[in-house]
Amino acid sequence: MNFASVVPGLSQRFPGSMEVTWTTFNETEESIVEYGLWGGRLFELTAKGKATLFVDGGSEERKMYIHRVTLTDLRPASAYVYHCGSEAGWSDVFSFTALNESTSWSPRFAIYGDMGNENPQSLARLQKETQVGTYDVILHDNGRIGDEFMRQIQSIAAYVPYMTCPGNHEAEYNFSNYRNRFSMPGQTESLWYSWNVGSAHIISLSTEIYFFLDYGVDLIFKQYEWLKKDLEEANRPENRAERPWIITMGHRPMYCSNNDKDDCTLFESYVRLGRNDTKPPAPGLEDLLYLYGVDLELWAHEHTYERLWPVYGYKVFNGSIEQPYVNPKAPVHIITGSAGCRENHDPFVPNPRDWSAFRSTDYGYTRMQVHNTTHLYLEQVSDDQYGKVIDSIWVVKEKHGFSAWF
């Protein structure tokens, strides 16, 4: 079998499951994953799925087959070994740990954006940390799509759920590579979706729909209505009590202090305030996320790291002078787009606005742990400084939701 990219990319579409996705250049009669509990009988379980033909939009019009198989009824927090393929050929053997389904569990995340197949400086450190069990989930914002890149991230994506959101580098041919190569929850071809882990409800958004209008202005309104309904459901009292942390991830930030004239450098940011040049005017995201009490907003696109003070409407709303992230009065924003790519770093303006708390141009990535319903920890790792933690905060919230702002 000719594997284009033997990426058993893992994702969780619903509790107790793991979806395995891989690509071949050849059509096969079956799409199979053989798996079993670590330490048990090897490959004692079998799951079958299906393959779909994908024709790349480039000039070569390459044909490939995207295989998807869902493993169900997994034992929470248990380790499994697996391989994928068919009798025509099998991948290497990989392993994963099924996610714990308890809301009192404290999941650990690696978060990064804008890592390319050229100059992916943070990749080696992330590979090692993933394979020794440092993380339960990867949140990757804007990964360059292509066979070479998919092979690079295999050493991460084959071991833990690899949850993504689209960025500007996936835009070619109407995001077709992204929509076909990744398998996220929901029915939106991975462009936007939400899922639950521990005491957190995580929402992945597409900011790119505000910029690639040729693919349809209606996408802005479709996502906005979906997001509003999702936030309404997450804020039902019984749901917010069980999973009080609401975290969003999107590619282009609403705020940044970079010196590159990107959308986030403008007061009239499309992502933040929407667009008035469409008919009807397209709504932005800031008011909606604030109204439904989103706690943390994760972004990338800028090839730097920046932590903001709690901010809304260009104003700082710290919890207090001494403890700004204890009971903050607005969402906390983190921009983590410095994992490494061919465009290198983006510069900062010399004098940032009041809402900018910490900035770094080091290559690196972010770690996050949702400890419990009131405490969330974030730290920034510098790959330039050999894994040194250069920034860290605890976000503490005794109350969640819109009423927490007052």
Side-chain angles (χ1 to χ4, degrees), residues 106-182:
S106 302
R108 303 159 302 163
F109 302 79
I111 308 166
Y112 51 89
D114 294 81
M115 184 170 69
N117 64 303
E118 296 180 35
N119 188 32
Q121 181 165 324
S122 302
L123 182 62
R125 195 175 305 279
L126 284 163
Q127 289 170 337
K128 179 179 179 180
E129 291 179 347
T130 299
Q131 293 183 19
V132 300
T134 303
Y135 307 115
D136 302 299
V137 179
I138 303 294
L139 303 182
H140 187 183
D141 180 347
N142 184 49
R144 314 299 168 80
I145 303 303
D147 294 336
E148 182 181 351
F149 176 78
M150 298 300 283
R151 282 190 288 269
Q152 282 183 336
I153 66 168
Q154 174 181 276
S155 55
I156 301 173
Y159 293 90
V160 292
Y162 201 87
M163 312 303 286
T164 62
C165 75
N168 56 300
H169 289 282
E170 286 80 70
E172 291 293 326
Y173 317 115
N174 196 7
F175 297 88
S176 60
N177 267 278
Y178 175 83
R179 290 188 285 111
N180 282 275
R181 289 181 185 259
F182 289 108

Side-chain angles (χ1 to χ4, degrees), residues 286-402:
E286 183 175 44
D287 284 350
L288 187 64
L289 300 182
Y290 178 80
L291 179 64
Y292 286 96
V294 169
D295 302 291
L296 176 64
E297 301 178 24
L298 304 170
W299 312 98
H301 192 60
E302 304 305 315
H303 300 163
T304 47
Y305 169 76
E306 187 166 14
R307 168 172 53 84
L308 276 56
W309 300 119
V311 61
Y312 170 69
Y314 256 63
K315 296 180 181 179
V316 173
F317 290 94
N318 289 344
S320 66
I321 295 176
E322 297 80 11
Q323 296 178 305
Y325 297 105
V326 175
N327 297 318
K329 305 305 179 185
V332 176
H333 294 243
I334 300 290
I335 303 166
T336 176
S338 59
C341 63
R342 65 186 180 189
E343 288 91 354
N344 298 314
H345 302 295
D346 289 330
F348 283 119
V349 296
N351 300 305
R353 291 184 180 268
D354 292 343
W355 36 254
S356 181
F358 180 89
R359 310 184 300 175
S360 173
T361 57
D362 284 7
Y363 286 117
Y365 51 93
T366 304
R367 296 183 185 132
M368 176 177 77
Q369 185 167 13
V370 181
H371 274 261
N372 52 40
T373 59
T374 58
H375 288 66
L376 183 151
Y377 178 71
L378 290 152
E379 65 182 22
Q380 181 67 9
V381 178
S382 168
D383 193 76
D384 287 348
Q385 300 185 49
Y386 309 102
K388 178 182 177 181
V389 174
I390 58 172
D391 185 44
S392 64
I393 60 167
W394 281 94
V395 181
V396 179
K397 299 198 70 171
E398 297 166 316
K399 185 167 69 170
H400 297 263
F402 180 69

Side-chain angles (χ1 to χ4, degrees), residues 59-97:
S59 58
E60 296 181 11
E61 296 184 339
R62 293 184 309 140
K63 294 182 178 180
M64 61 190 73
Y65 295 86
I66 311 295
H67 303 258
R68 290 180 172 87
V69 176
T70 302
L71 315 183
T72 59
D73 300 321
L74 299 176
R75 186 183 299 175
S78 297
Y80 289 82
V81 294
Y82 74 99
H83 67 176
C84 61
S86 70
E87 295 305 321
W90 295 96
S91 72
D92 291 338
V93 177
F94 301 95
S95 64
F96 67 88
T97 299

Side-chain angles (χ1 to χ4, degrees), residues 21-43:
T21 305
W22 71 98
T23 305
T24 63
F25 283 134
N26 302 109
E27 185 177 11
T28 62
E29 292 185 1
E30 294 182 299
S31 302
I32 303 173
V33 174
E34 296 181 335
Y35 65 108
L37 286 165
W38 187 287
R41 290 179 55 195
L42 190 65
F43 306 145

Side-chain angles (χ1 to χ4, degrees), residues 253-269 302 314 349 353 355:
M254 302 179 188
Y255 299 88
C256 68
S257 64
N258 295 89
N259 189 19
D260 53 15
K261 298 183 180 180
D262 281 350
D263 181 69
C264 54
T265 67
L266 308 174
F267 180 83
E268 301 287 342
S269 159
E302 304 305 315
Y314 256 63
V349 296
R353 291 184 180 268
W355 36 254

